[in-house]
Amino acid sequence: MPKAPRKKAASKRSATKNSRNVVAELDSSVKGIQQSIANHLRFTLARDIKTASKREWYLALTFAVRERMLENYIQTQERHNGQNVRRAYYLSMEYLMGRLLSNNLHNVGIFNDTREALKNLGVDIEELIAEEHDMGLGNGGLGRLAACFLDSIASLNLPAIGYGIHYEFGLFRQRFNNGYQIEGPDNWREFGDPWEICRPQYMVDVKIYGRVSHKHDAKGDYSPEWVDVTTVRALPFDVPIVGYGAKTVNFLRLWEAKASESFNLETFNQGGYVEAVRDKATSETISKVLYPNDSTASGKELRLVQEYFFVSASLQDIIRRHFRSNNGWDSFPEKVAIQLNDTHPAVAVAELMRLLVDEHAYSWDPAWDLVRKTFAYTNHTLLPEALEKWSVPLFEKVLPRHMEIIFELNRRFLEDEVEARWPGSGAMKSRLSLIEEGNPKQVRMAYLSVIGSHTVNGVAALHTQLLKKDLFHDFDTLYPGKFQNKTNGITPRRWLLACNERLSDLITSKIGEDWPRDLDQLRQIAEYADEASFQKAFMAVKRANKVRLADYVEEHMGLTISPDAMFDVQIKRLHEYKRQHLNLLHILTLYRDILHNPDGDFTPRVFIFAAKAAPGYDLAKNILRAINKVGEVINNDTRVGDKLKIVFPENYSVSLAEIIIPAADVSEQISTAGKEASGTGNMKLALNGAVTIGTLDGANVEIREEVGDENIFIFGLRVEEVQALKAQGYNPWKYYHANANLKSAIDWLASGHFTPGEVGAFDTFIKSLLEDGDPFLVLADYQDYCATQTRVGEAFKDPSEWARMAILNTARVGKFSSDRTISEYAKEIWNLEPCE
């Protein structure tokens, strides 16, 4: 049994004393920051002020900020270790961090002083912020949520560590060619990342493949051994996570795959140059790319290896940390709370069982009890196809011992728990089994997560209700009280304070500067919603942000858009259920209306899309191309002028979102009711004064409750209506033939008008709507959506009323701070106390 090392109190006190002497030397005045930047430029980068490039200025600035974070980081870890605190460990395949410089400057509290220091040196801070690459560690809402959570955990002084993968390449860099999405490598680490710290002393070995040798020990007990394995080394890199006010600095630990033997010199000397490094290249592929295309067998295998790689490394690290301060396993669930962010890290349940039973000689039942007390699971989807399943043959190939453990877990679960609740019911055993019958059989990772966790949570009130009612109904019956709701949130530091400086300054001028810690304070600005001068100031901020976005569009797309038009924004992953194609059908209808009524009183609109489609998702890519090609025609049609434009910038990222969101007038949240778990883009846009048009789906339901019916535009079928329509037999052709505008829009798209010489370019898109049954009810919601969009356009014509609506959206969405969400996790799932 591993034991904690004896502590050396005297040396620890000495180290603490010395570290405080260091922090005393760090002068965070304008003069002190200016000197730090100049010193790093000269002594770290060997440059002087006259010859330094922009990137070198950026690096010098980053090092100056980082050293002001690291002292508190060291003291934070000293405090946590010294008090042997209970910690949360957040396991996530992705963290969509964006750029860190601006956020860290604000959280440390030196943004304005740093701007002044750089100005004295003749440098523009915004130009240096733009030098930073977005960290390629995430894709969509799941990763952005994880990043917000890390910010809130540190800001609330909670002891926690995030774990993930140190991807060399992000998802992909997107560009457009003839409307098509072209994917290129996102080499975000090409020139290194100045924030991260390599920790080779904590490298661990991860085993994959091999076989199970069925042996018995000296006492005659079954003692399986995992043999003939491939070993990969996991090298950790730490990214400091500074909380607002810099009192707590936690960290995100990212694992990079390294070969156990990197170079075969004998093979190289014999002329086998490629073979000499083959093992190294194969092993390091594991952390090479975020989300490899899993439409192929090899892609699926790599994805499973990735998931296990970071889970195994993380659990080994967590166990090492535990035994550094504790002498036994009995206290493990008291000191360790592990959160599974969706099903990607679900194999952690089987891995901890393996570690306990195979490597630490635990008997099965106590081991399983410890596992269930340790894990909690967040579900992020209601889409059955998004609930991870792995074929049993693939699982046996990659993780043969884990497959045996899952089979045994399933046998005991069905025989003990399911049989006790539903005696003799083969149907219930089939429905709840961790193994889905079929050819081949599948491992249900969501089910493994549910039975292996003490708590399961959804991420919006409606989502959790539907989890309990539909997706996990039988589990909710079996485990009453296990399911909770934790409505998602966003960090106000990045998504208002850092990305919308003008609005932040206006808010601070009215209610003081404490609101980034307590977003509910924004309710105070509601009293100014009817005040003409405040409305004018608020909308002046909005227009300035629209000008900034218009400048970006002109510079990067060569397209001129008017900041006086209504900016209608839909920015999110491109997926059928998010229904960008419903938005496009309305645009086509609006385009026809303008052409048929050139003198009509139309509200000028700029429709702004930003999205990436998964490389293997052909339908999403076809919808994306349709938006681009329709945009080309509309944007060049002189008959339309400024009445209608479509903007679709390339390579959507956190940094691009930080430009678009403050400029948005309208927030498109139009997923099919019952399909979006929560959404967080809806929260960011509303916080920045955009008015939502949306269905009653995900967190839209709660946004409506907060802002009021009169300050949001709701349309479309409700969840129960969607279910009823599908139950009675939904026929999209009925809607197509019954609605002349809808039929005209679809026929126009199919005609080849937008792709001269390419008739049938959008057949995949149109086939999904008609022949394939329109699974997300685009046609059923089309008419109500168009009518509601007409109401939106009319409302925008009244500047005072629109300003009032926008102000109240900002004022009333304090509930959606990730600080509130994390406080609930800490109290109701993790049992975690702040450590100040």
Side-chain angles (χ1 to χ4, degrees):
M1 185 76 65
K3 293 186 178 180
R6 296 181 64 184
K7 302 175 183 61
K8 299 179 181 178
S11 62
K12 186 171 181 179
R13 283 195 298 271
S14 176
T16 302
K17 181 179 179 181
N18 290 337
S19 68
R20 285 170 183 161
N21 289 336
V22 172
V23 76
E25 296 171 6
L26 290 175
D27 179 0
S28 289
S29 67
V30 172
K31 183 179 178 181
I33 295 167
Q34 185 175 327
Q35 188 63 53
S36 288
I37 295 169
N39 285 346
H40 278 294
L41 203 59
R42 178 172 290 271
F43 301 117
T44 306
L45 300 169
R47 283 292 185 188
D48 62 33
I49 290 174
K50 294 178 181 178
T51 61
S53 67
K54 259 185 204 176
R55 176 156 183 85
E56 287 164 336
W57 276 106
Y58 155 72
L59 290 172
L61 171 57
T62 298
F63 292 137
V65 178
R66 195 179 83 159
E67 67 187 7
R68 284 161 173 77
M69 294 164 50
L70 290 184
E71 177 53 35
N72 279 8
Y73 164 81
I74 292 168
Q75 292 189 12
T76 297
Q77 301 313 310
E78 285 179 349
R79 185 168 65 250
H80 292 173
N81 295 334
Q83 296 182 20
N84 191 18
V85 297
R86 175 176 171 83
R87 283 187 180 88
Y89 298 94
Y90 199 76
L91 270 56
S92 179
M93 274 286 279
E94 53 174 304
Y95 294 88
L96 196 56
M97 305 296 289
R99 294 169 174 161
L100 294 184
L101 179 54
S102 175
N103 198 73
N104 287 344
L105 283 166
H106 281 95
N107 280 10
V108 175
I110 58 173
F111 185 90
N112 290 329
D113 286 344
T114 301
R115 175 160 51 192
E116 187 65 25
L118 286 167
K119 186 178 178 182
N120 294 341
L121 292 166
V123 180
D124 182 355
I125 192 172
E126 297 299 334
E127 290 184 4
L128 299 193
I129 288 171
E131 278 294 304
E132 184 176 8
H133 290 291
D134 281 48
M135 300 181 81
L137 301 173
N139 172 30
L142 181 83
R144 187 54 236 164
L145 181 76
C148 286
F149 279 5
L150 293 183
D151 177 273
S152 286
I153 287 169
S155 295
L156 294 170
N157 301 308
L158 294 168
I161 298 170
Y163 284 103
I165 297 179
H166 193 236
Y167 300 105
E168 182 176 346
F169 295 92
L171 186 68
F172 58 83
R173 289 193 67 83
Q174 178 196 59
R175 64 182 181 87
F176 300 138
N177 184 2
N178 191 25
Y180 289 103
Q181 172 178 284
I182 307 298
E183 296 119 20
D186 175 21
N187 193 4
W188 70 278
R189 285 170 47 204
E190 183 176 9
F191 302 111
D193 178 34
W195 298 108
E196 64 190 24
I197 303 160
C198 185
R199 303 290 198 190
Q201 68 271 33
Y202 300 132
M203 188 182 292
V204 297
D205 289 343
V206 175
K207 298 182 288 187
I208 48 177
Y209 300 113
R211 61 184 177 84
V212 180
S213 175
H214 301 283
K215 298 180 179 180
H216 288 76
D217 62 19
K219 296 179 181 179
D221 294 329
Y222 177 58
S223 180
E225 185 179 358
W226 190 9
V227 297
D228 299 334
V229 299
T230 298
T231 300
V232 179
R233 310 216 74 189
L235 175 66
F237 289 79
D238 291 352
V239 179
I241 305 295
V242 59
Y244 187 63
K247 289 182 179 179
T248 292
V249 184
N250 291 322
F251 63 94
L252 168 63
R253 179 156 288 177
L254 303 168
W255 299 101
E256 181 174 315
K258 294 290 184 182
S260 56
E261 295 184 11
S262 60
F263 185 70
N264 188 321
L265 182 59
E266 182 180 353
T267 302
F268 183 87
N269 287 336
Q270 292 174 358
Y273 306 128
V274 175
E275 290 80 1
V277 294
R278 178 169 291 151
D279 287 346
K280 173 180 171 66
T282 301
S283 295
E284 295 179 4
T285 298
I286 294 171
S287 58
K288 187 70 70 176
V289 179
L290 168 69
Y291 288 168
N293 186 349
D294 61 0
S295 61
T296 64
S298 59
K300 285 184 174 68
E301 183 172 329
L302 178 55
R303 180 74 172 273
L304 177 57
V305 170
Q306 277 188 335
E307 293 182 1
Y308 176 70
F309 165 77
F310 104 87
V311 158
S312 175
S314 301
L315 284 176
Q316 291 182 64
D317 198 57
I318 292 167
I319 291 168
R320 176 191 62 79
R321 296 176 65 85
H322 173 72
F323 281 101
R324 183 177 61 190
S325 304
N326 302 278
N327 290 324
W329 281 101
D330 291 345
S331 61
F332 192 78
E334 298 170 11
K335 296 296 183 181
V336 173
I338 302 177
Q339 190 71 33
L340 304 175
N341 191 29
D342 215 359
T343 53
H344 308 131
V347 71
V349 173
E351 171 68 352
L352 186 53
M353 277 297 289
R354 185 191 70 83
L355 291 168
L356 289 167
V357 173
D358 292 3
E359 298 192 10
H360 294 277
Y362 245 70
S363 58
W364 190 276
D365 289 339
W368 185 232
D369 182 60
L370 186 150
V371 167
R372 295 176 109 171
K373 288 178 178 176
T374 300
F375 288 110
Y377 160 54
T378 301
N379 173 276
H380 285 279
T381 184
L382 292 162
L383 301 176
E385 64 270 23
L387 293 174
E388 276 194 319
K389 298 176 186 176
W390 295 108
S391 76
V392 167
L394 174 60
F395 212 100
E396 285 178 323
K397 175 185 177 183
V398 176
L399 302 170
R401 177 58 183 145
H402 298 76
M403 192 68 259
E404 288 187 350
I405 289 171
I406 290 172
F407 278 137
E408 180 62 14
L409 284 173
N410 193 45
R411 182 188 69 79
R412 293 175 183 239
F413 167 63
L414 296 178
E415 291 181 2
D416 298 342
E417 298 185 64
V418 178
E419 176 64 23
R421 180 64 179 80
W422 294 282
S425 176
M428 290 306 299
K429 288 189 174 78
S430 177
R431 281 161 58 176
L432 291 174
S433 174
L434 303 183
I435 308 299
E436 181 178 277
E437 296 300 321
N439 188 21
K441 294 179 179 180
Q442 304 277 332
V443 183
R444 294 162 161 164
M445 302 306 285
Y447 287 16
L448 178 63
S449 302
V450 170
I451 73 164
S453 298
H454 57 79
T455 305
V456 179
N457 72 278
V459 291
L462 176 63
H463 172 232
T464 303
Q465 175 187 331
L466 293 173
L467 284 181
K468 295 166 70 173
K469 177 176 176 288
D470 298 323
L471 195 64
F472 293 138
H473 173 73
D474 297 326
F475 284 108
D476 185 47
T477 303
L478 181 62
Y479 300 125
K482 176 176 276 198
F483 289 80
Q484 295 185 11
N485 178 59
K486 296 287 171 281
T487 296
N488 281 343
I490 56 172
T491 167
R493 272 76 63 179
R494 181 178 289 270
W495 293 112
L496 183 52
L497 182 65
C499 79
N500 198 342
E501 185 179 359
R502 294 180 180 91
L503 184 54
S504 297
D505 288 346
L506 178 62
I507 291 168
T508 298
S509 72
K510 291 294 184 181
I511 67 173
E513 58 186 19
D514 292 337
W515 59 266
R517 284 192 180 281
D518 179 8
L519 206 56
D520 283 331
Q521 290 189 22
L522 291 186
R523 286 195 171 272
Q524 297 174 57
I525 70 168
E527 64 186 81
Y528 303 104
D530 293 308
E531 186 180 286
S533 60
F534 188 77
Q535 288 183 356
K536 183 178 179 181
F538 192 94
M539 297 313 290
V541 165
K542 179 65 71 175
R543 193 180 191 284
N545 289 329
K546 292 168 75 172
V547 168
R548 181 175 67 151
L549 176 57
D551 290 344
Y552 178 93
V553 170
E554 184 146 25
E555 178 184 352
H556 291 84
M557 299 180 63
L559 176 65
T560 301
I561 57 175
S562 170
D564 296 316
M566 183 175 75
F567 282 16
D568 184 310
V569 169
Q570 187 174 19
I571 49 173
K572 53 186 76 243
R573 182 165 50 94
L574 213 150
H575 196 290
E576 288 172 272
Y577 87 83
K578 296 180 184 289
R579 300 203 296 189
Q580 284 93 343
H581 43 342
L582 174 59
N583 192 343
L584 180 59
L585 289 176
H586 167 250
I587 292 171
L588 286 166
T589 301
L590 194 57
Y591 184 27
R592 288 185 74 249
D593 285 348
I594 292 171
L595 296 180
H596 284 85
N597 303 285
D599 298 324
D601 183 19
F602 295 98
T603 300
R605 299 178 189 238
V606 177
F607 288 93
I608 299 163
F609 296 87
K612 291 181 179 180
Y617 192 174
D618 292 336
L619 175 52
K621 294 170 89 167
N622 196 237
I623 294 169
L624 181 151
R625 186 174 187 235
I627 296 169
N628 275 330
K629 297 305 287 184
V630 170
E632 285 179 19
V633 172
I634 290 176
N635 294 342
N636 290 288
D637 192 334
T638 56
R639 298 171 295 175
V640 172
D642 286 339
K643 293 178 183 175
L644 184 61
K645 298 289 183 185
I646 294 180
V647 172
F648 201 146
E650 296 176 333
N651 204 44
Y652 183 45
S653 63
V654 173
S655 298
L656 182 53
E658 289 172 348
I659 298 173
I660 295 174
I661 287 172
D665 293 306
V666 176
S667 166
E668 296 269 356
Q669 309 298 329
I670 59 176
S671 54
T672 313
K675 299 301 181 184
E676 181 72 86
S678 168
T680 53
N682 47 6
M683 303 169 188
K684 297 163 194 165
L685 285 154
L687 179 62
N688 283 271
V691 180
T692 301
I693 177 170
T695 53
L696 281 179
D697 193 30
N700 291 354
V701 176
E702 291 162 85
I703 290 176
R704 183 182 71 159
E705 291 171 356
E706 296 297 311
V707 305
D709 287 338
E710 68 281 8
N711 299 307
I712 191 171
F713 293 90
I714 297 296
F715 75 94
L717 298 168
R718 276 48 171 174
V719 171
E720 60 276 10
E721 293 171 328
V722 167
Q723 294 171 340
L725 183 57
K726 289 196 169 185
Q728 71 188 34
Y730 172 58
N731 181 6
W733 289 100
K734 169 186 168 185
Y735 294 87
Y736 170 78
H737 289 298
N739 191 310
N741 286 333
L742 175 59
K743 185 176 185 301
S744 295
I746 292 174
D747 291 350
W748 200 13
L749 197 61
S751 69
H753 175 80
F754 298 98
T755 52
E758 287 186 79
V759 177
F762 307 126
D763 283 355
T764 303
F765 168 12
I766 294 165
K767 181 174 179 287
S768 75
L769 294 179
L770 298 173
E771 296 175 34
D772 293 342
D774 185 19
F776 297 100
L777 307 184
V778 170
L779 274 56
D781 274 345
Y782 164 84
Q783 183 57 44
D784 195 15
Y785 177 60
C786 289
T788 305
Q789 278 284 18
T790 299
R791 289 171 47 219
V792 171
E794 289 301 310
F796 192 75
K797 292 176 182 177
D798 184 338
S800 177
E801 182 57 27
W802 189 269
R804 181 180 181 279
M805 294 169 66
I807 292 166
L808 289 175
N809 268 269
T810 296
R812 293 176 176 175
V813 292
K815 170 184 175 177
F816 303 104
S817 168
S818 52
D819 293 355
R820 184 267 314 153
T821 311
I822 287 299
S823 293
E824 293 177 2
Y825 273 98
K827 293 173 185 174
E828 299 165 19
I829 296 180
W830 301 336
N831 189 27
L832 202 63
E833 293 292 332
C835 182
E836 298 187 11

